[in-house]
Amino acid sequence: MADGTLIEWTEATWNPLRGCSRASTGCSNCYAERVAARFDGPGQPYEGLIHPSTGGWNGTVRLVPEVLNQPIRWQRPRRIFVNSMSDLFHESVSDEWIDTIFGIMWACLYTRHEQPGHVFQILTKRPERMRDYLQQDRRRQWADAAVRHGGGIDPDGIFDQTMEVARRGPHPRIWLGVSVENQAAADERIALLLQTPAALRWLSCEPLLGPIDLTSVEWPRKGGHRVDVLRGGYWVAKGYPAWGPSAGLGANRGFFTNHSDMETIDWVVVGGESGSKSRPMHAYWARSLRDQCAADGANVPYFFKQWGEWAPAVAGMWFYMLDEGAPFAPRAAGKDTHDFGDGMGAVRLGKKRAGRLLDGQLHDAYPEVCNV
């Protein structure tokens, strides 16, 4: 928990839960797991949550009662990342705990002067649990938790007003998102996110470990069609020229049919991996997502968080470009260089030196905040 954070796309973190377990390849170098492993001794915050032999999460998740009402005490409205050290929809988290956390978020959605309050940013790698939970009507449980933990606000009275504006979610300042590291994760998780009642849906493509085509995401409910989750629509037959940006994937995917009633993604965050065991991110993967978000008919806010440990480079020559814009030639090819096999590569510089400029520009776009 921190009022203030180094995570570029948020302003504070709130961790009413501690503990997790790995869900996919994107978890292999989990920063939260590394932090927890440093503080898992007797009497320390993560005691009992780390496996003694592997040094990784052991699957236990614990509620932290002493920090539950922390956002209520923060007077200045801010963007708050919920559970940076866990997953709110982990299988070890009870519905009652989730009710409590949602109730506290409800209690913080307005200040004491009835002005718009915090924005809460939620990420999960378990979107099926999130969808199933939010398809239930839990307003009474949220209201009870809000009052019980000192919010002094009964969300039931606010609910109808906010739903009139949002029409599709628990509240327009509770943002629901999924982590997607490659196309397989996108195909597995995004359709579930779009089936989840939400006022705003977003993606964290970090660590980005492969190309992702958001114009062609698997959608089981459409008979196996590939859905454009930025515009809303899907491919109905093969053999027609591909429509829109293809991110180098799936040429001649089919004929695109627009459906204005389909839910879409509202925000995309992209970043490379950091840490000593980090994997490099191809510059094309980040550029492709930027261009998909900026394409006509999409216009989705795009946030480039970081290159991570590795900066883009020209393979073989190993020239790379720092934020200052000056080319350098680092060490010879070796463990600190990576060749993607297509003329592009990456060099290990560290997160700070690699920076967060994409083609010389800072990409810090956010979705519009609803001030209901």
Side-chain angles (χ1 to χ4, degrees):
M1 175 185 62
D3 186 10
T5 175
L6 296 178
I7 300 174
E8 288 82 354
W9 46 260
T10 194
E11 296 174 305
T13 57
W14 173 44
N15 285 291
L17 299 173
R18 292 177 186 153
C20 202
S21 57
R22 297 185 181 185
S24 65
T25 185
C27 303
S28 297
N29 299 317
C30 175
Y31 77 91
E33 189 178 65
R34 294 198 305 269
V35 171
R38 291 167 51 198
F39 301 99
D40 70 330
Q44 293 188 303
Y46 296 93
E47 179 183 3
L49 303 180
I50 296 296
H51 194 283
S53 59
T54 66
W57 296 120
N58 63 15
T60 302
V61 179
R62 188 164 60 230
L63 187 70
V64 190
E66 61 268 26
V67 306
L68 281 173
N69 66 352
Q70 181 67 57
I72 296 174
R73 299 199 300 267
W74 287 337
Q75 295 301 303
R76 177 181 59 81
R78 63 208 76 192
R79 290 185 299 272
I80 300 173
F81 178 23
V82 180
N83 285 318
S84 65
M85 298 296 293
S86 185
D87 188 326
L88 180 57
F89 296 98
H90 191 278
E91 51 272 19
S92 296
V93 179
S94 68
D95 281 357
E96 289 72 24
W97 288 2
I98 301 174
D99 290 339
T100 297
I101 291 166
F102 265 85
I104 291 167
M105 289 191 288
W106 270 98
C108 298
L109 293 172
Y110 295 89
T111 69
R112 293 176 182 175
H113 303 289
E114 298 186 358
Q115 298 299 310
H118 302 317
V119 168
F120 290 93
Q121 300 161 305
I122 296 173
L123 276 178
T124 185
K125 288 187 174 72
R126 296 161 174 87
E128 185 172 9
R129 172 89 189 278
M130 180 170 69
R131 179 200 62 187
D132 293 348
Y133 173 82
L134 286 166
Q135 284 180 345
Q136 306 171 54
D137 185 351
R138 312 289 293 192
R139 287 174 290 178
R140 184 68 264 162
Q141 291 90 331
W142 299 347
D144 291 344
V147 176
R148 188 168 64 249
H149 289 277
I153 298 174
D154 183 346
D156 265 2
I158 301 169
F159 191 85
D160 291 338
Q161 172 193 350
T162 55
M163 286 300 289
E164 185 65 27
V165 175
R167 295 198 303 275
R168 58 182 184 117
H171 192 279
R173 288 199 302 282
I174 296 177
W175 299 358
L176 301 180
V178 295
S179 299
V180 290
E181 63 266 28
N182 52 29
Q183 191 68 40
D187 288 344
E188 175 187 345
R189 297 172 185 159
I190 293 178
L192 293 166
L193 173 63
L194 295 183
Q195 296 165 23
T196 303
L200 188 145
R201 300 176 179 87
W202 64 293
L203 304 178
S204 174
C205 304
E206 183 191 9
L208 184 58
L209 302 178
I212 298 176
D213 186 354
L214 295 177
T215 73
S216 183
V217 173
E218 185 174 318
W219 189 263
R221 287 190 174 184
K222 297 298 182 183
H225 296 305
R226 308 292 294 187
V227 174
D228 184 333
V229 300
L230 299 176
R231 294 178 179 84
Y234 59 91
W235 306 94
V236 297
K238 291 186 176 181
Y240 294 86
W243 179 89
S246 65
L249 299 173
N252 296 321
R253 292 168 298 174
F255 182 80
F256 185 80
T257 300
N258 182 270
H259 286 259
S260 60
D261 60 337
M262 285 187 62
E263 305 292 357
T264 54
I265 296 301
D266 302 297
W267 188 36
V268 175
V269 174
V270 171
E273 193 168 44
S274 56
S276 60
K277 297 181 180 180
S278 63
R279 294 156 286 185
M281 175 176 65
H282 198 302
Y284 171 78
W285 305 339
R287 289 173 180 144
S288 173
L289 284 168
R290 175 199 61 192
D291 295 345
Q292 291 174 53
C293 289
D296 289 344
N299 299 318
V300 173
Y302 175 87
F303 191 107
F304 186 69
K305 179 178 179 286
Q306 63 181 34
W307 284 106
E309 195 77 14
W310 298 79
V314 178
M317 298 176 63
W318 303 116
F319 280 101
Y320 60 89
M321 194 73 69
L322 291 177
D323 280 2
E324 292 82 3
F328 293 82
R331 61 204 65 76
K335 66 177 182 179
D336 292 328
T337 63
H338 178 84
D339 190 337
F340 286 104
D342 58 0
M344 292 297 296
V347 293
R348 184 187 294 273
L349 297 179
K351 175 181 174 178
K352 184 175 181 180
R353 291 188 69 199
R356 52 186 303 258
L357 294 186
L358 176 57
D359 293 333
Q361 294 187 359
L362 193 66
H363 295 273
D364 269 352
Y366 286 90
E368 184 176 352
V369 176
C370 181
N371 288 324
V372 173

